[in-house]
Amino acid sequence: MSDRFHVTYLLTLAPGEDAEERIRALQLEQSAELPDPVVHSLGMQYVTGSVTELNVMGEPESAGDPNTSRYAGTSGKQGSSHLSEAAASGASAGPGVWPRQLRVTIAWPKNNHGNEITQLLNVLFGNISMKRGIAITDIRWEDVAGDETAGGGRNAGGERDLVAAGRNRLLAGPAFGIQQIRKKWNIHGRALACTALKPMGYSSRKLADLAFRFALGGVDIIKDDHGLADQPTAPFTERVEMCVEAVDRAAQKTGCRSRYFPNITTDPHRVTERFEQAAELGADGVLLCPMLVGPALMHHLARLNTGLPIMAHPAFSGSYVAQAGTPSTHTAPHGFEPGLFYGGLMRALGADFTIYPNTGGRFSFTSEVCDAINSHARNSGMPFAPCFPAPGGGMQRDRMAFWLKNYGADTTFLMGGSLFEDPAGIEAASRAFMETLGA
Amino acid sequence: MSDRFHVTYLLTLAPGEDAEERIRALQLEQSAELPDPVVHSLGMQYVTGSVTELNVMGEPESAGDPNTSRYAGTSGKQGSSHLSEAAASGASAGPGVWPRQLRVTIAWPKNNHGNEITQLLNVLFGNISMKRGIAITDIRWEDVAGDETAGGGRNAGGERDLVAAGRNRLLAGPAFGIQQIRKKWNIHGRALACTALKPMGYSSRKLADLAFRFALGGVDIIKDDHGLADQPTAPFTERVEMCVEAVDRAAQKTGCRSRYFPNITTDPHRVTERFEQAAELGADGVLLCPMLVGPALMHHLARLNTGLPIMAHPAFSGSYVAQAGTPSTHTAPHGFEPGLFYGGLMRALGADFTIYPNTGGRFSFTSEVCDAINSHARNSGMPFAPCFPAPGGGMQRDRMAFWLKNYGADTTFLMGGSLFEDPAGIEAASRAFMETLGA
């Protein structure tokens, strides 16, 4: 077990920018937040972490430039490579597009984040969120995976125990994950279908009627639209009661029960209460927008043993995601590599399902980005239960065969608008959707 | 009192893009999330809001292009202008840089956000966070300002009351604000000084010793660095106890007491407890990173009557802020206009102080952006108590006269690293810092 937390960054250098200075600035900004001489005089160099791997792409302006000679065009490595295959695609535009980019892995002391997920996110992307040209492309999850160590790094006698602190394992991933959900719901060998109740402004009665028709059509999961909160037109409790009743009623007709996931996103101090309320009212899972309530809260909910899986919705998340830099936009990638964010981070934080905007729909993710999200969500190399990737955002039924072939059975396909549009009506459209999945 | 919530967006159009379609797509994405024909067939057009003001900058490719004729080059306005002066600077690069940009105000029904701040943020920037080229440049705060209406839009008889729902006022701003803090601390007619305890990894004892020396030097506010959380090296309770004691001890020597603001940022379900604990342990205020804990939580804390002002730190926020687009980067502005975000939104959400990275330091904000933040934080046109702007991030003492002249007395200047660097030592450096402010 390493006493360090390894994070890999892709830095885009401006013309003439010094590679070594850029890396050092990142190390200082995300830890001591003091000038280097002060850090040395205080004897606190260790908090600034260490570079364990470095790969420079592109050439410096002048081969003999003494300012860049140490890192220019070289590739250094200490310790074994841990870049996952999925992380290799996504944020990086690679050499050729940018004059120079660095891929650098920094090993941070675990004391820097301690026992808090908020502080882990702060170490990852706190102050540097306000910089530009810094993408996070890989996180070594095993450094922070596992059950929480109780007691804040103190031993049984209540004294400070830095060895125990070094063993802190903060993140535990989904409470269920793909296999347990398949077993729980007895759905094997095929992809899952999900749809959404909307629009906001509809009454609870009308939303429940929609739920009834989706359930008659056999859709696996019927979730609230992420825009359904506690509005006067469809207050949370009333809506959940009516939708649960509607899904139950449909099950009596069909003999096969759909699952209802209400949206529990609300002001953070009330989310836990709403999660427990959803369980009491008979919901089968919940929808949550982690970036609206604070992402660490999702992880807390996943540990509460309500029995309800969590579906993460990406609302308010887009700003955190590094867009691939292209020659036409000249936008240096900044933020989390999208596969790492929607696949890896959401999974680590406890999402059983992670919704993302599929390529070819209303959003602009490329198919490479979507593949990376799927890979991060499901890959067996991560020390968490795998999570269902849930592509959505403008999916059409006539393309389902294509998506199924490309994304595979361990996917939850999210189809909203196109079921509403179908002239055959919602029940028939839902049934046809399920048939494309072999249900 | 309007029953609508007015938001102004700056949309950057790609070459050939249709202005009308782009606006309609935004309206649908942020409300019904259904195709337009479905919205019409359901009779739910009202949830998609209405355009009350439109200003097109730049020319369409072809003057006679029927696809763009309705909105091209025109400026329409219904109702009075509400663009604040501050909002006019910042995100927009203006005509000339981009072929075409639209500034459009949309009036959303208040039922769309209802009674929840998370849902208000969702309406503002939920799904469109994942798009590109959409900047939020103005919010009509009076539409959502004031005390919460209890009961979720229900009348005394418990029935749904859409008129009451229309009067929902969600946001109340800072609990104290500039004037009350000046009165509380008896500091008038001059700017305030703030410094930070760091680095992370230091023991509570050493951090308290730093606090003692800053306090001997007379710094108004001594805050934890935002990277001090509950790490084993300086656990929260131990650190707060020691730092409060150190500041008290210094006050006995100087006769004038500094104020200590511990960082209460932690996993969201524990933040309220830590806030109350800070008050019990004798802290004078708190530091909070709203984007790490969920921004709506700050507003909740500000209503708790602990007696402690809140200082908002911008960690993990940078991704939400629209960078000005320039011809050299070709980056279309996306996110909140920085003045609106760090000044307006943080103030609306209850920050008594809002920290931002000053121009000329380690970050890249322009002086225009900083002026806009100051203006949004303090301007009397907003229906909240004014909030201290707190520029920091690499400030130097020899430039203080310049900043004072430019930013004025209602500013809290944040100086960290340069006090540590001073060969005269921390106490003398702190005293010299205070002298630059006329203390």
Side-chain angles (χ1 to χ4, degrees):
Chain A
M1 169 64 70
S2 166
D3 66 345
R4 297 282 176 135
F5 169 50
H6 294 74
V7 183
T8 303
Y9 306 84
L10 177 75
L11 305 184
T12 302
L13 271 65
E17 203 173 10
D18 179 68
E20 189 172 352
E21 275 178 22
R22 186 71 188 281
I23 293 170
R24 192 64 195 152
L26 188 158
Q27 290 181 264
L28 292 168
E29 192 65 58
Q30 290 300 95
S31 62
E33 230 198 311
L34 284 168
D36 225 351
V38 176
V39 172
H40 278 79
S41 71
L42 300 178
M44 295 299 286
Q45 297 95 318
Y46 86 94
V47 304
T48 65
S50 53
V51 173
T52 61
E53 201 173 330
L54 175 67
N55 190 11
V56 181
M57 297 163 280
E59 292 301 317
E61 289 74 35
S62 154
D65 184 345
N67 289 325
T68 57
S69 60
R70 181 174 156 195
Y71 286 161
T74 62
S75 175
K77 186 189 280 196
Q78 289 130 298
S80 63
S81 168
H82 59 270
L83 288 169
S84 66
E85 277 182 37
S89 69
S92 172
V97 173
W98 298 102
R100 285 170 75 220
Q101 288 188 312
L102 308 174
R103 201 178 282 274
V104 59
T105 300
I106 297 174
W108 301 104
K110 289 189 181 174
N111 181 73
N112 287 19
H113 61 255
N115 310 295
E116 291 152 303
I117 295 173
T118 40
Q119 179 57 15
L120 188 79
L121 296 169
N122 196 16
V123 166
L124 278 171
F125 199 57
N127 270 9
I128 56 171
S129 71
M130 292 177 283
K131 301 254 181 186
R132 283 297 174 261
I134 304 175
I136 299 177
T137 61
D138 201 23
I139 293 169
R140 198 161 82 175
W141 295 110
E142 55 268 39
D143 294 340
V144 284
D147 296 312
E148 279 183 66
T149 303
R154 286 164 182 268
N155 63 21
E159 289 170 343
R160 193 170 307 151
D161 181 350
L162 291 176
V163 177
R167 286 197 303 266
N168 275 340
R169 287 160 302 177
L170 268 179
L171 296 172
F176 301 92
I178 294 178
Q179 283 74 21
Q180 279 202 49
I181 285 171
R182 286 196 177 284
K183 201 174 160 192
K184 189 179 167 79
W185 294 349
N186 195 26
I187 303 176
H188 300 280
R190 68 163 173 88
L192 272 61
C194 177
T195 191
L197 302 177
K198 43 186 161 182
M200 61 168 73
Y202 240 28
S203 67
S204 300
R205 174 75 54 203
K206 285 186 172 177
L207 293 165
D209 180 57
L210 276 175
F212 181 68
R213 290 186 282 155
F214 282 128
L216 286 182
V219 177
D220 296 309
I221 303 170
I222 301 162
K223 72 169 185 68
D224 281 348
D225 181 42
H226 73 286
L228 297 180
D230 190 36
Q231 290 98 336
T233 40
F236 179 78
T237 307
E238 174 189 281
R239 180 175 80 246
V240 176
E241 284 171 349
M242 287 188 180
C243 291
V244 167
E245 187 276 331
V247 169
D248 285 344
R249 191 155 33 88
Q252 288 171 0
K253 288 189 72 163
T254 64
C256 178
R257 196 173 176 288
S258 295
R259 291 121 206 123
Y260 171 55
F261 279 43
N263 177 24
I264 60 165
T265 305
T266 185
D267 293 347
H269 63 288
R270 293 193 174 123
V271 171
T272 303
E273 178 193 339
R274 202 163 280 184
F275 188 39
E276 288 163 349
Q277 203 184 349
E280 285 161 21
L281 295 173
D284 304 282
V286 294
L287 184 80
L288 180 73
C289 303
M291 302 318 286
L292 283 169
V293 301
L297 191 51
M298 180 162 70
H299 192 268
H300 170 65
L301 298 179
R303 311 273 82 77
L304 289 183
N305 296 317
T306 58
L308 304 194
I310 298 172
M311 183 178 282
H313 188 284
F316 215 63
S317 71
S319 299
Y320 286 112
V321 175
Q323 294 286 304
T326 67
S328 65
T329 64
H330 290 291
T331 311
H334 184 75
F336 291 82
E337 190 272 330
L340 181 65
F341 188 89
Y342 294 113
L345 187 61
M346 291 301 113
R347 175 180 172 187
L349 289 172
D352 295 290
F353 302 83
T354 181
I355 298 177
Y356 67 87
N358 195 24
T359 190
R362 301 192 308 273
F363 298 85
S364 58
F365 283 7
T366 63
S367 57
E368 290 74 22
V369 162
C370 296
D371 289 343
I373 295 171
N374 296 344
S375 172
H376 277 278
R378 296 185 293 217
N379 85 67
S380 57
M382 248 175 89
F384 310 116
C387 155
F388 272 110
M395 300 203 57
Q396 301 293 329
R397 199 175 66 227
D398 57 11
R399 295 275 288 162
M400 276 306 302
F402 173 83
W403 297 121
L404 255 181
K405 181 168 168 290
N406 277 270
Y407 291 174
D410 279 343
T411 310
T412 296
F413 290 98
L414 180 52
M415 201 179 288
S418 68
L419 299 181
F420 287 82
E421 284 179 303
D422 197 310
I426 279 184
E427 183 184 339
S430 299
R431 195 169 291 123
F433 178 24
M434 294 310 297
E435 280 164 11
T436 65
L437 302 182
Chain B
M1 170 63 69
S2 165
D3 65 344
R4 296 283 176 135
F5 170 50
H6 294 74
V7 183
T8 304
Y9 306 84
L10 177 75
L11 306 184
T12 303
L13 271 65
E17 203 173 11
D18 179 68
E20 189 172 352
E21 275 178 23
R22 185 72 187 279
I23 293 171
R24 192 63 194 154
L26 188 158
Q27 290 180 264
L28 292 168
E29 192 65 57
Q30 290 300 95
S31 62
E33 231 198 310
L34 283 168
D36 225 350
V38 176
V39 172
H40 278 79
S41 72
L42 300 177
M44 295 299 286
Q45 297 96 317
Y46 86 95
V47 304
T48 66
S50 53
V51 173
T52 61
E53 202 172 328
L54 175 67
N55 191 9
V56 181
M57 296 163 282
E59 293 301 318
E61 288 75 35
S62 153
D65 183 346
N67 289 326
T68 57
S69 61
R70 180 173 156 196
Y71 286 160
T74 62
S75 174
K77 185 189 280 194
Q78 289 129 299
S80 63
S81 167
H82 59 269
L83 288 169
S84 66
E85 278 182 38
S89 69
S92 171
V97 174
W98 298 101
R100 286 170 76 220
Q101 288 188 312
L102 308 173
R103 200 178 284 274
V104 59
T105 299
I106 297 175
W108 301 104
K110 288 188 180 174
N111 181 72
N112 287 19
H113 61 255
N115 309 295
E116 291 153 303
I117 295 173
T118 39
Q119 179 57 14
L120 188 79
L121 296 169
N122 196 17
V123 166
L124 278 170
F125 199 57
N127 271 9
I128 57 171
S129 72
M130 292 177 283
K131 302 253 180 186
R132 283 298 175 259
I134 304 176
I136 299 177
T137 61
D138 201 23
I139 292 168
R140 198 161 82 176
W141 296 110
E142 55 267 39
D143 294 339
V144 284
D147 296 312
E148 280 183 66
T149 303
R154 287 166 180 265
N155 63 21
E159 289 169 343
R160 194 169 307 152
D161 181 350
L162 290 176
V163 177
R167 286 197 303 267
N168 275 339
R169 287 162 302 179
L170 268 180
L171 296 172
F176 300 93
I178 294 179
Q179 282 75 21
Q180 278 202 50
I181 285 171
R182 286 196 177 284
K183 202 174 160 191
K184 188 179 168 80
W185 294 348
N186 195 26
I187 303 176
H188 301 281
R190 68 162 173 89
L192 271 62
C194 178
T195 191
L197 302 178
K198 44 186 160 181
M200 60 168 72
Y202 240 28
S203 67
S204 301
R205 175 75 54 204
K206 284 186 172 177
L207 293 164
D209 180 57
L210 275 176
F212 181 68
R213 290 186 282 155
F214 282 128
L216 286 181
V219 177
D220 295 309
I221 303 170
I222 300 162
K223 72 169 184 68
D224 282 348
D225 182 40
H226 74 286
L228 297 180
D230 191 36
Q231 291 98 336
T233 40
F236 179 78
T237 307
E238 173 189 281
R239 181 175 80 246
V240 177
E241 284 172 349
M242 286 188 180
C243 291
V244 167
E245 187 276 332
V247 169
D248 285 345
R249 190 154 34 88
Q252 288 171 1
K253 289 189 72 164
T254 65
C256 179
R257 197 172 175 288
S258 295
R259 291 119 206 125
Y260 171 56
F261 279 43
N263 177 24
I264 61 165
T265 305
T266 185
D267 293 347
H269 63 289
R270 293 193 174 124
V271 171
T272 303
E273 177 193 339
R274 201 164 280 184
F275 188 39
E276 288 164 349
Q277 204 185 350
E280 285 161 20
L281 294 173
D284 303 282
V286 294
L287 184 80
L288 180 73
C289 302
M291 303 319 286
L292 283 169
V293 301
L297 191 52
M298 180 162 70
H299 192 268
H300 171 65
L301 298 180
R303 311 273 83 77
L304 289 183
N305 295 317
T306 58
L308 304 194
I310 298 172
M311 183 178 281
H313 189 284
F316 215 63
S317 71
S319 299
Y320 286 112
V321 176
Q323 294 285 305
T326 67
S328 64
T329 64
H330 290 290
T331 310
H334 184 76
F336 291 82
E337 190 271 330
L340 181 65
F341 189 90
Y342 294 112
L345 187 61
M346 291 300 114
R347 175 180 172 187
L349 290 172
D352 295 290
F353 302 83
T354 180
I355 298 177
Y356 68 87
N358 196 25
T359 189
R362 301 193 308 272
F363 298 85
S364 58
F365 283 8
T366 63
S367 57
E368 289 74 22
V369 162
C370 296
D371 289 343
I373 295 171
N374 296 344
S375 172
H376 277 278
R378 296 185 293 217
N379 85 67
S380 56
M382 248 175 89
F384 309 116
C387 155
F388 272 111
M395 300 202 58
Q396 301 293 329
R397 199 174 67 227
D398 57 11
R399 295 274 289 161
M400 276 306 302
F402 173 83
W403 297 121
L404 255 180
K405 181 168 168 289
N406 277 270
Y407 291 174
D410 280 342
T411 309
T412 296
F413 290 98
L414 180 52
M415 201 178 287
S418 68
L419 299 181
F420 286 83
E421 284 179 302
D422 197 311
I426 279 185
E427 183 184 339
S430 299
R431 195 168 292 126
F433 178 25
M434 295 310 296
E435 280 164 10
T436 64
L437 302 181

